[in-house]
């Protein structure tokens, strides 16, 4: 397949990753948020396989399968079970309203393009054009963590940040060594199980997963 066509496919998938990040930022229902996280993982998985084909880096095919297994199937399943077991049905509460959050997200995308401009000019990789999108995905994940009150939503923001970091590694260097990627994937999986156990304990003890209610328990100095 023509290299230019593959570069366009890479850019198209990067646009879908960014679009899913904005959709997660605007989403209020936790179950829909989990579904969008799974879609973002799917776009990331396909993009990793495309980059592996372009760069002839065969270990990226393993990374693609790992991403598909963990971020598209396993983690969304764990988050969905958490939402059902903890009976989280109401809409996600936000510290900043959705329109303002979206405007901040757009500003972060512009900032990311400005920040990565020197790197993109010097790089000769086919994926150099998607580096700004990867950085913007990291920042939007961080923004979601900061602006949400619910602990489960903050964890989804953290996982979205990890998606952005993985995307940045693929865009900037054609991925990390396989042993590092396996270690990161295992860490994310273990973290998801630990978060699940903590959520059950916190929910049983305080009857809520709202960060605001937990902060009210903090001792005054």
């Amino acid at each position: 397949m023509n290299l230019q066509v593959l570069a366009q496919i890479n850019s198209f998938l990067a646009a879908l990753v960014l679009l899913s990040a904005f959709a997660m930022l605007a989403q209020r229902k936790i179950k829909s948020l989990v579904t969008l996280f799974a879609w973002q993982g799917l776009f990331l998985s396909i993009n990793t396989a495309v980059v592996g084909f372009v760069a002839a880096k065969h270990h990226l095919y393993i990374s693609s399968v790992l991403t598909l297994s963990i971020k598209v199937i396993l983690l969304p399943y764990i988050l969905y079970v958490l939402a059902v077991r903890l009976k989280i049905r109401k809409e996600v509460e936000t510290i900043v309203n959705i329109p303002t959050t979206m405007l901040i997200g757009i500003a972060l995308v512009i900032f990311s393009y400005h920040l990565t401009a020197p790197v993109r000019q010097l790089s000769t990789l086919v994926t150099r054009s998607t580096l700004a999108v990867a950085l913007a995905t990291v920042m939007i994940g961080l923004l979601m963590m900061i602006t949400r009150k619910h602990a489960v939503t903050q964890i989804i923001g953290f996982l979205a940040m990890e998606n952005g970091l993985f995307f940045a590694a693929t865009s900037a260097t054609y991925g990390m060594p396989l042993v590092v990627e396996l270690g990161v994937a295992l860490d994310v999986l273990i973290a998801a199980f630990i978060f699940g156990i903590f959520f059950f304990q916190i929910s049983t003890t305080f009857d809520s997963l709202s960060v605001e209610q937990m902060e009210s328990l903090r001792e005054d100095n």
Side-chain angles (χ1 to χ4, degrees):
M1 192 179 288
N2 189 301
L3 194 63
Q4 191 174 0
V5 174
L6 289 169
Q8 288 176 353
I9 293 172
N10 176 245
S11 299
F12 177 68
L13 289 167
L16 290 177
V17 169
L18 186 61
L19 188 64
S20 61
F22 270 100
M24 290 165 71
L25 205 57
Q27 186 53 247
R28 288 180 177 274
K29 295 180 180 177
I30 286 188
K31 289 181 182 176
S32 301
L33 200 57
V34 172
T35 304
L36 286 167
F37 173 72
W39 275 107
Q40 188 180 61
L42 179 64
F43 300 141
L44 202 57
S45 171
I46 298 170
N47 184 67
T48 305
V50 170
V51 173
F53 180 76
V54 171
K57 303 282 186 183
H58 300 301
H59 74 275
L60 286 178
Y61 294 129
I62 299 174
S63 299
S64 175
V65 173
L66 274 176
T67 304
L68 186 68
S69 307
I70 295 176
K71 296 177 180 176
V72 181
I73 300 171
L74 198 53
L75 284 179
Y77 174 74
I78 292 171
L79 292 168
Y80 183 80
V81 169
L82 271 177
V84 172
R85 294 280 180 86
L86 297 174
K87 299 177 181 176
I88 304 170
R89 296 191 182 90
K90 63 181 181 181
E91 292 186 342
V92 175
E93 296 175 347
T94 58
I95 295 172
V96 182
N97 62 53
I98 296 296
T100 306
T101 310
M102 297 293 280
L103 286 175
I104 297 172
I106 292 169
L108 289 175
V109 173
I110 296 169
F111 175 70
S112 298
Y113 269 92
H114 177 72
L115 192 66
T116 58
V119 180
R120 284 185 283 119
Q121 286 176 356
L122 293 174
S123 176
T124 56
L125 300 180
V126 176
T127 54
R128 62 184 180 277
S129 62
T130 58
L131 185 58
V133 175
L135 182 61
T137 307
V138 174
M139 290 187 176
I140 290 172
L142 179 62
L143 179 63
M144 193 162 72
M145 285 183 70
I146 294 170
T147 56
R148 299 299 171 102
K149 293 180 182 178
H150 205 282
V152 176
T153 347
Q154 292 184 347
I155 294 306
I156 296 174
F158 168 77
L159 294 172
M161 269 183 67
E162 200 279 327
N163 276 351
L165 288 171
F166 179 76
F167 193 22
T170 309
S171 303
T173 61
Y174 286 158
M176 297 172 284
L178 182 59
V179 66
V180 178
E181 291 181 9
L182 286 171
V184 171
L186 186 62
D187 286 346
V188 170
L189 194 58
I190 291 171
F193 279 111
I194 292 173
F195 285 142
I197 293 167
F198 275 141
F199 288 157
F200 276 113
Q201 291 293 332
I202 292 169
S203 179
T204 305
T205 306
F206 301 115
D207 198 29
S208 172
L209 283 174
S210 170
V211 177
E212 276 195 336
Q213 289 190 33
M214 283 185 269
E215 283 181 349
S216 67
L217 301 171
R218 186 174 54 191
E219 291 183 4
D220 295 328
N221 294 323

